[in-house]
Amino acid sequence: MSNNQPWCHGNITRSKAENLLSKAARDGSFLIRDSESVQGAYALCVLHQNCVHAYRILPNEDKKLSVQASEGVPIRFFSLLSELVEAYYSPNMGLVTHLQYSVQREEELDEEPESSNQPPQLPPRKFTSNDGKDSEVKTSEQACKSLADTFLMRLQHVDMSTVPEEHQMAIQDYFRTSIYLDAEHVQNGNPNLPSLKKLTMALCKNLNNEISRTLPTLEVFHQSLDQQFPSGMGQFPKHMYADSSESISFRLEQLTKLLYSIEDKAKNAVFNATGYEGGHRKSLIPPVTFEVKQESLGISMKVFLKVDVESGKLFIKKSKDGPEDKYFVHNKILQLVKSQKMHAKLVIVVETEKEKILRKEFVFENTKKREGFCQLLQQMKNKHSEKPEPDMITVFVGTWNMGNAGLPHNINSWFQCKGQGKTKDDTADHIPHDFYVIGTQEDPLSEREWADTVKGVLRNITNISFKQVVIHTLWNIRIIVLVKPEHENRISHVFSDSVKTGIANTLGNKGAVGVSFMFNGTSFSFVNSHLTSGSEKKLRRNQNYINILRFLNLGDKKLNPFDITNRFTHLFWLGDLNYRVEFQSTEAEYMVTKIKQQQYQELLCKDQLSMEMNDEKVFLHFNEEEISFAPTYRFERYTREKYAYTKAKATGTKYNLPSWCDRILWKSYPLVHVVCQAYGCTQDIMTSDHSPVFASFEVGVASQFVSKQDLNSAPQGGIQIMNCMATLQTKSKTKFFIEYHSSCLEKMVKTSEGENMEHTDGSIKVWFGNQAQLTPIISDPEYLLDQHILICVKSTDCDESYGEGCVALRAAQCCYTEFHITLTHHGEKTGILSGGIQLQTSAGKPTEKLYDFIKIEKDDSVTSKGKSSDPNKTSITKAHDISNPSYVGVTYKCGNVTDRGWSYSMPPKNLPVASQGGKDPLRSPSDVGTHSPPGKPSTNQNPVHDEKMFDNPLYGSMGKPHTQSQDQDPPQKEHLTIPDPIFLSKPADGDSERPPVPTPRNRSYTCSETKPLPGAPSTQQSTMQKKPVVPSRSQGCMPNNRPPLPAKSRPSPLEPQAPKPRDNRESTELPSKYGPAVRPGQLQPQKDTQPDVPRRAAL
């Protein structure tokens, strides 16, 4: 067999093959690996002059193998790889050099089974060695005879009075003779036990006939209950009841599933018809009242805010039981603005009956209460929205290693995000998530038991009967996805798969299960993994991760060059990842003391997963919310007060130090909306030595877009990608081209061959000078701005990927934009790609998104004296700096720049920063694709940002008064200056530690109809300031399609103050004034944790 040859390396990665050849360091060194682009093909890798040359070995129709070598060399065919290698030891065979030295495989240590877990019993293995053959056969016969005697003895002690005599004889005959035949089949590699199958078919003869007669009837009944009955849907395979030779257990399983399905559908139909809710009232969110403080004329007053989600009203009352005559309807609540300096402060922007805009400031009891209020208001807006499809959903993600133990009586806290860490307030208990994704490990329950349990818990909490999308199990590793009933028809393209990473990568005691699906126009994937255990097996866990990335088969098959980290808009990775805290065993008690004091920072600095992520070895560009909860492993069962970190073994004491084994991470496409609202663990579920971990996410989604424009008359849209330069980390001697993939394109687009500019040791630069013209299927900006282009750099020789990345079209919504993205392959960084992108769309304006309803405001909270200080009476306002980091998921880690894998920049850096009173003509959405690339600046590139406020571009510019006279020109759109690339390019001088910044959105102030407009700052003043550092979801402005937002006025400009580090715990949870835990690799929180904001220009 070729697999036994030392030069045959199987499915190792291309980069691994290059490293092995580089270590060999001799011309003519070679190895053969599996091809990454063609199933059943191979790649012959040869080292020559410190470069690796790869040749494809392809099979033909007759399974003969041939090498794609130099032109002019006759093609030779071989039956075996060994014959091919032997032939190419000869020179002049078309290779760069003949084969000389085979590179040996690196031996990989198999995972040892854990002593605490009983390994699964495997069938006896056949050994082909002739040595001791007679003794093996003798031993096998003895074992079978002993087994047969045991079963016959048991049979004598069983009451068989009710069993027909012919069945008794058949069973006895099997134990006496047929079991030996089955044993022989197993020894020969056939585990099907044909004699046992023959026996069960005989015993179930009547049952089998009855199933064949009953299944068609049940199928017809099932179809009649099905709500949706499109052609070809809902039909069970005919062979289920036509082929009586199928395994009786398989047919019974299908029959059982069908009966369960019939029962569920019948119940749902009857319940819906009668209005019965299974003993529960209709799902309603009860009114919730918050006690807050409001300042008026410098006096703090107690006020009560009552949120009635069902009626869509917000009541403001002076006493808890006071009259409810003052309220605002949902469509009059324009904006919620969170203060970043005061974590309990919230500004509610409302519109009065007289169309006046008011800012009402309130201070809540704590941050949790404020977050609960915001979630209720957001739920209200969503419930009463007139949109046919949602643009934001909430996702619950949970992971729990159940420790092969039964369930406790109550697991509600897990699904309500209650316990330690970043948790939700009680006021949000009745707000259901749209998705519930639960991953379990060491799960002893059946799929049916677990699904019924989870559905029952959710029904008790939310009064909603959630629908099961998919459930997938690998041994004791399981994942289940449930959704609200109203989303059932929005889900399509459901896939599930699993990968084994246990002993020799053949056992499923360790591994991963994954699911993927489309929610309208957004792709999701969830992976639940149980990786190798043991503090010392960090490298093995890293390899588990790489194997799962490579072999988990989910999503669109057309995206074959991309692994799962680039195939989906949102990828969530959860499970018992088993990464440990690297402390000495002698420091166990010290760790426990720190945990009891809730001082996690020192422990997190030694967290293996965090260190490996910082070193870019695993989970490249994944995100994880800050950990503010205790380690979830290894507890003594039935208590959370004691860690059982020692285990007595025959070889000595084994230590399992407290660790954050159970984690939830995510990775999303650039410039999409993702916010982690909760991340923690429960404290009251104690049947396992692990605590369940929960996370709650707010996620932006795109609808299945139907353009309102006439496709025949709408102008043709266009996407131009140009000036691309790739720097690839490879020693391969080959040429490269680029493939562009996207759901907004009719088909994949391939570029011409690039030009290799320079080749240094270990890397190569490739210039792709030709412009790639991509034609989207729809040119409407509302559709295009939600799309992404997947980029793959491939070799011309082997058609294998050397790196993949993603670019958001939203980055180019206003003009030509430079991008810088990290290229990855199989989870490893393989290079950098920079270039420019330009977008041409039809005219149109995007609609408001629900996730733009809440902003974050960085202000100095200085209130003017006098009447104007009353927030309820403010009419002349200055804009504050409002932003929402969640738009792009920008993370600040104590001043260190976080590489997110992408950045965007606007090239014309020498243009004025501000315009003079808006003299320059401004552009419409249809012009967004006509901006000039670098070196070709147009005359209309003067962006305007005369104030510090930046808002969602979907609302439009706020620089004009709210109303205009008829003789005024219509409002014009303004362009922005996008910050320099700070991820992969050099920062500006003197600003080397600037955090990652997406483009600020232009924002200006709003004035009342009777007050003059404050003057704009001069160009000279603006150009001397630093560029505003404002995290935002996108670059550019869009037309104004809703009332503008005012901001509180202040008497004089002050330097903005940096916010304090966030602490998600309540004051009662803190034993003393400790700061929040900092992730490993971060610096201690400094005084200035936020980027600089430019000073307000003097008026």
Side-chain angles (χ1 to χ4, degrees):
M1 290 289 292
S2 299
N3 289 339
N4 297 325
Q5 297 291 342
W7 37 258
C8 185
H9 288 246
N11 57 18
I12 67 169
T13 63
R14 174 188 51 78
S15 59
K16 181 68 174 177
E18 291 183 6
N19 291 337
L20 291 175
L21 289 170
S22 297
K23 290 178 182 178
R26 291 194 294 181
D27 286 357
S29 298
F30 73 96
L31 61 83
I32 292 179
R33 59 176 174 83
D34 294 347
S35 171
E36 294 182 356
S37 58
V38 180
Q39 187 75 21
Y42 304 92
L44 172 60
C45 304
V46 185
L47 183 69
H48 180 65
Q49 296 181 357
N50 204 31
C51 291
V52 177
H53 299 255
Y55 302 91
R56 277 204 290 190
I57 302 176
L58 298 175
N60 63 6
E61 295 179 355
D62 299 326
K63 302 297 178 65
K64 299 287 186 178
L65 302 173
S66 62
V67 177
Q68 286 187 332
S70 302
E71 295 182 3
V73 178
I75 298 178
R76 297 183 57 183
F77 293 92
F78 304 89
S79 299
L80 300 174
L81 270 179
S82 54
E83 296 176 0
L84 183 150
V85 171
E86 188 67 28
Y88 279 85
Y89 270 105
S90 303
N92 303 320
M93 293 289 290
L95 305 183
V96 66
T97 182
H98 63 283
L99 306 184
Q100 300 179 56
Y101 314 105
S102 64
V103 176
Q104 305 292 317
R105 285 179 293 184
E106 288 186 344
E107 294 298 328
E108 190 173 305
L109 296 176
D110 286 337
E111 178 188 359
E112 298 178 1
E114 297 180 54
S115 59
S116 60
N117 296 330
Q118 294 295 328
Q121 294 185 355
L122 300 178
R125 298 177 61 185
K126 178 187 175 186
F127 296 91
T128 57
S129 173
N130 292 327
D131 299 335
K133 181 177 181 180
D134 295 338
S135 61
E136 287 179 11
V137 173
K138 185 177 180 180
T139 303
S140 175
E141 290 178 353
Q142 291 175 349
C144 289
K145 188 176 186 307
S146 175
L147 185 63
D149 292 342
T150 301
F151 285 141
L152 286 170
M153 186 179 300
R154 290 178 183 174
L155 200 61
Q156 294 175 1
H157 293 85
V158 177
D159 182 12
M160 300 182 66
S161 59
T162 59
V163 179
E165 184 177 352
E166 58 178 330
H167 288 180
Q168 295 182 28
M169 297 297 295
I171 295 173
Q172 291 173 359
D173 184 63
Y174 176 76
F175 287 148
R176 288 194 183 103
T177 59
S178 301
I179 194 171
Y180 294 98
L181 299 176
D182 279 347
E184 185 177 345
H185 279 285
V186 169
Q187 288 176 328
N188 292 327
N190 180 10
N192 292 329
L193 306 182
S195 296
L196 177 63
K197 183 178 179 180
K198 182 179 179 181
L199 173 64
T200 56
M201 292 294 291
L203 297 178
C204 302
K205 180 179 179 180
N206 294 334
L207 176 61
N208 207 24
N209 294 335
E210 189 65 25
I211 291 176
S212 298
R213 192 173 69 89
T214 306
L215 268 178
T217 305
L218 292 178
E219 168 63 13
V220 172
F221 186 35
H222 181 267
Q223 290 180 0
S224 64
L225 291 171
D226 214 342
Q227 294 179 357
Q228 294 183 346
F229 189 29
S231 176
M233 296 294 291
Q235 298 182 7
F236 282 76
K238 291 185 178 180
H239 68 78
M240 263 181 50
Y241 45 82
D243 186 3
S244 60
S245 64
E246 284 282 1
S247 165
I248 187 67
S249 59
F250 171 78
R251 305 188 76 207
L252 279 174
E253 180 185 2
Q254 299 303 312
L255 177 64
T256 304
K257 287 183 177 180
L258 186 57
L259 287 172
Y260 277 137
S261 179
I262 289 174
E263 181 183 351
D264 290 342
K265 290 180 181 297
K267 281 184 178 180
N268 289 337
V270 175
F271 288 175
N272 292 336
T274 60
Y276 178 71
E277 292 290 337
H280 299 273
R281 62 178 174 79
K282 188 178 179 181
S283 175
L284 295 175
I285 299 176
V288 181
T289 302
F290 296 83
E291 181 179 328
V292 298
K293 293 182 180 179
Q294 181 182 29
E295 287 194 4
S296 179
L297 300 176
I299 301 175
S300 180
M301 301 171 52
K302 184 185 295 185
V303 178
F304 294 88
L305 302 179
K306 180 181 176 181
V307 183
D308 191 338
V309 173
E310 303 304 326
S311 68
K313 295 178 181 179
L314 171 63
F315 298 90
I316 302 178
K317 305 190 296 183
K318 294 184 179 180
S319 62
K320 191 171 185 179
D321 300 324
E324 298 182 349
D325 53 348
K326 185 176 182 181
Y327 63 87
F328 292 95
V329 186
H330 61 89
N331 57 353
K332 298 296 183 181
I333 305 172
L334 307 181
Q335 194 90 65
L336 301 182
V337 184
K338 299 177 182 178
S339 170
Q340 199 168 19
K341 180 183 178 183
M342 297 178 59
H343 289 172
K345 177 183 171 184
L346 181 71
V347 176
I348 306 176
V349 182
V350 296
E351 181 181 356
T352 66
E353 295 179 356
K354 298 181 180 180
E355 297 187 354
K356 288 186 177 180
I357 307 299
L358 302 181
R359 287 172 53 94
K360 294 180 173 290
E361 294 186 6
F362 301 99
V363 178
F364 287 74
E365 180 182 346
N366 51 49
T367 308
K368 270 190 182 181
K369 295 293 183 187
R370 186 186 73 172
E371 295 304 311
F373 177 85
C374 291
Q375 290 172 30
L376 285 169
L377 262 291
Q378 207 162 31
Q379 185 75 9
M380 177 197 296
K381 297 285 285 188
N382 190 32
K383 186 177 183 69
H384 297 278
S385 171
E386 297 179 356
K387 297 179 182 178
E389 296 295 329
D391 53 39
M392 190 200 76
I393 60 174
T394 56
V395 179
F396 172 91
V397 181
T399 177
W400 184 23
N401 185 320
M402 300 175 66
N404 290 310
L407 285 170
H409 295 298
N410 191 327
I411 58 174
N412 290 0
S413 61
W414 188 21
F415 298 92
Q416 292 177 316
C417 299
K418 297 294 183 63
Q420 278 191 335
K422 184 178 182 180
T423 59
K424 288 195 171 185
D425 187 62
D426 294 342
T427 55
D429 282 352
H430 295 280
I431 303 178
H433 290 78
D434 295 279
F435 291 176
Y436 285 86
V437 183
I438 300 99
T440 52
Q441 310 84 40
E442 298 183 19
D443 186 343
L445 305 181
S446 68
E447 286 189 350
R448 178 74 182 188
E449 288 175 317
W450 181 237
D452 288 345
T453 298
V454 174
K455 289 178 182 177
V457 171
L458 294 179
R459 193 179 299 114
N460 289 333
I461 295 174
T462 66
N463 300 309
I464 298 175
S465 296
F466 277 79
K467 301 296 183 180
Q468 180 177 311
V469 176
V470 62
I471 185 169
H472 194 85
T473 305
L474 171 67
W475 288 26
N476 297 112
I477 309 170
R478 177 174 296 141
I479 190 168
I480 183 172
V481 180
L482 302 169
V483 299
K484 283 182 176 179
E486 60 260 35
H487 296 323
E488 193 174 16
N489 295 331
R490 297 184 173 113
I491 290 179
S492 62
H493 301 81
V494 180
F495 296 98
S496 63
D497 194 23
S498 61
V499 173
K500 299 174 182 176
T501 63
I503 300 173
N505 288 331
T506 58
L507 298 187
N509 60 321
K510 295 292 188 293
V513 290
V515 299
S516 67
F517 53 86
M518 293 291 296
F519 181 87
N520 283 343
T522 302
S523 56
F524 284 88
S525 180
F526 299 88
V527 178
N528 172 31
S529 64
H530 192 186
L531 306 185
T532 298
S533 62
S535 178
E536 71 284 358
K537 295 180 181 178
K538 175 177 62 179
L539 298 181
R540 176 75 181 179
R541 282 187 282 276
N542 293 354
Q543 188 59 47
N544 289 163
Y545 165 75
I546 297 298
N547 289 343
I548 293 168
L549 276 191
R550 294 184 63 191
F551 304 121
L552 199 61
N553 190 12
L554 298 171
D556 189 352
K557 301 303 183 286
K558 295 178 182 178
L559 300 178
N560 184 55
F562 304 88
D563 60 43
I564 58 175
T565 62
N566 281 309
R567 285 193 183 189
F568 305 100
T569 313
H570 304 286
L571 168 64
F572 295 86
W573 197 300
L574 55 140
D576 181 1
L577 306 187
N578 253 322
Y579 285 93
R580 308 301 174 91
V581 176
E582 288 189 345
F583 270 68
Q584 298 297 322
S585 58
T586 55
E587 299 179 285
E589 282 301 322
Y590 173 78
M591 294 178 63
V592 172
T593 301
K594 288 291 184 181
I595 293 170
K596 289 181 178 179
Q597 296 173 348
Q598 300 187 35
Q599 297 181 7
Y600 308 132
Q601 178 181 336
E602 186 177 350
L603 276 60
L604 285 167
C605 288
K606 294 292 185 178
D607 173 60
Q608 288 179 341
L609 178 57
S610 299
M611 292 189 292
E612 295 299 284
M613 289 176 67
N614 290 338
D615 292 339
E616 297 185 344
K617 295 180 180 178
V618 292
F619 294 102
L620 184 63
H621 302 143
F622 274 77
N623 303 278
E624 184 182 24
E625 181 64 23
E626 178 185 352
I627 293 178
S628 56
F629 52 92
T632 57
Y633 175 81
R634 180 178 186 255
F635 285 104
E636 187 173 300
R637 294 178 189 247
Y638 302 106
T639 179
R640 297 296 93 155
E641 301 298 325
K642 183 179 180 180
Y643 285 95
Y645 54 80
T646 60
K647 181 190 297 183
K649 298 179 62 178
T651 56
T653 301
K654 180 181 178 181
Y655 284 84
N656 285 306
L657 298 180
S659 299
W660 287 276
C661 291
D662 311 281
R663 311 287 273 268
I664 298 172
L665 304 94
W666 78 94
K667 182 178 185 290
S668 299
Y669 282 169
L671 303 187
V672 295
H673 179 82
V674 183
V675 179
C676 183
Q677 296 179 319
Y679 188 38
C681 68
T682 64
Q683 293 180 288
D684 59 346
I685 301 176
M686 301 177 286
T687 52
S688 171
D689 51 4
H690 292 253
S691 286
V693 172
F694 54 77
S696 174
F697 296 91
E698 183 183 282
V699 180
V701 293
S703 63
Q704 290 283 17
F705 188 79
V706 178
S707 180
K708 299 177 183 179
Q709 303 174 356
D710 185 356
L711 298 180
N712 296 323
S713 61
Q716 182 78 44
I719 305 167
Q720 295 86 35
I721 301 179
M722 61 199 82
N723 305 326
C724 289
M725 171 72 78
T727 303
L728 304 175
Q729 299 172 2
T730 180
K731 291 189 175 181
S732 294
K733 189 72 172 180
T734 182
K735 294 288 188 177
F736 301 92
F737 64 93
I738 295 179
E739 285 183 356
Y740 298 104
H741 299 252
S742 179
S743 59
C744 70
L745 305 177
E746 288 188 3
K747 59 182 179 179
M748 176 266 294
V749 178
K750 183 186 298 185
T751 69
S752 57
E753 188 178 280
E755 177 184 355
N756 293 359
M757 302 293 292
E758 56 183 89
H759 199 300
T760 59
D761 187 26
S763 66
I764 183 174
K765 285 190 176 182
V766 187
W767 168 252
F768 301 93
N770 295 333
Q771 174 177 304
Q773 178 70 37
L774 314 179
T775 303
I777 54 178
I778 300 175
S779 60
D780 194 307
E782 184 169 355
Y783 167 79
L784 276 184
L785 294 182
D786 283 332
Q787 304 304 310
H788 294 78
I789 303 295
L790 296 179
I791 299 176
C792 179
V793 180
K794 282 189 170 184
S795 70
T796 56
D797 292 339
C798 292
D799 196 44
E800 293 183 338
S801 172
Y802 277 65
E804 306 99 50
C806 178
V807 175
L809 293 185
R810 187 174 295 280
Q813 65 176 338
C814 275
C815 58
Y816 174 92
T817 302
E818 291 180 347
F819 63 84
H820 306 263
I821 61 174
T822 300
L823 297 176
T824 64
H825 186 59
H826 295 326
E828 301 175 339
K829 181 177 178 179
T830 59
I832 296 171
L833 179 70
S834 60
I837 184 169
Q838 192 166 323
L839 181 64
Q840 177 72 42
T841 68
S842 61
K845 56 182 181 180
T847 58
E848 172 193 349
K849 305 288 187 181
L850 178 61
Y851 47 76
D852 293 317
F853 176 59
I854 300 177
K855 301 287 185 201
I856 296 177
E857 177 181 40
K858 296 191 288 282
D859 63 347
D860 30 346
S861 301
V862 177
T863 306
S864 301
K865 295 181 180 180
K867 295 182 179 181
S868 63
S869 64
D870 188 346
N872 297 330
K873 299 180 180 179
T874 300
S875 59
I876 302 179
T877 61
K878 284 187 182 179
H880 293 192
D881 176 16
I882 297 181
S883 62
N884 191 343
S886 63
Y887 289 146
V888 291
V890 170
T891 303
Y892 298 104
K893 291 191 174 182
C894 300
N896 294 336
V897 173
T898 302
D899 176 15
R900 298 194 56 82
W902 49 267
S903 66
Y904 305 100
S905 64
M906 200 83 78
K909 301 161 71 173
N910 57 343
L911 298 177
V913 178
S915 64
Q916 294 285 353
K919 294 179 181 178
D920 294 329
L922 301 171
R923 302 156 68 89
S924 64
S926 58
D927 299 329
V928 296
T930 60
H931 214 55
S932 302
K936 301 177 182 179
S938 67
T939 57
N940 292 337
Q941 291 183 349
N942 296 343
V944 180
H945 47 85
D946 52 350
E947 286 290 340
K948 294 183 355 184
M949 177 176 285
F950 299 90
D951 194 12
N952 175 22
L954 306 178
Y955 288 164
S957 171
M958 307 292 290
K960 304 294 180 286
H962 183 50
T963 57
Q964 289 183 321
S965 60
Q966 296 180 355
D967 57 344
Q968 284 181 299
D969 293 332
Q972 305 282 349
K973 280 164 288 302
E974 304 163 344
H975 288 293
L976 303 176
T977 298
I978 300 182
D980 300 331
I982 42 74
F983 294 91
L984 303 173
S985 58
K986 295 182 179 180
D989 295 339
D991 203 12
S992 59
E993 296 184 359
R994 196 172 77 183
V997 184
T999 304
R1001 290 187 296 270
N1002 192 19
R1003 180 78 169 196
S1004 55
Y1005 47 83
T1006 301
C1007 297
S1008 69
E1009 303 175 14
T1010 58
K1011 300 294 182 179
L1013 184 70
S1018 66
T1019 303
Q1020 182 179 2
Q1021 289 172 323
S1022 299
T1023 54
M1024 294 175 62
Q1025 299 171 355
K1026 285 185 178 181
K1027 293 181 180 180
V1029 177
V1030 182
S1032 64
R1033 182 172 60 86
S1034 56
Q1035 295 84 7
C1037 302
M1038 285 295 165
N1040 189 4
N1041 65 343
R1042 64 168 295 163
L1045 306 181
K1048 190 175 180 180
S1049 113
R1050 290 178 284 187
S1052 60
L1054 292 177
E1055 188 71 23
Q1057 300 178 6
K1060 297 180 180 179
R1062 182 183 59 190
D1063 190 347
N1064 295 316
R1065 295 173 289 169
E1066 300 297 332
S1067 59
T1068 56
E1069 299 175 354
L1070 292 171
S1072 59
K1073 296 183 179 179
Y1074 299 120
V1078 181
R1079 287 287 305 276
Q1082 302 176 0
L1083 301 176
Q1084 292 291 338
Q1086 303 296 326
K1087 181 177 180 181
D1088 295 328
T1089 59
Q1090 293 296 327
D1092 294 334
V1093 181
R1095 294 175 180 270
R1096 191 186 305 277
L1099 297 178

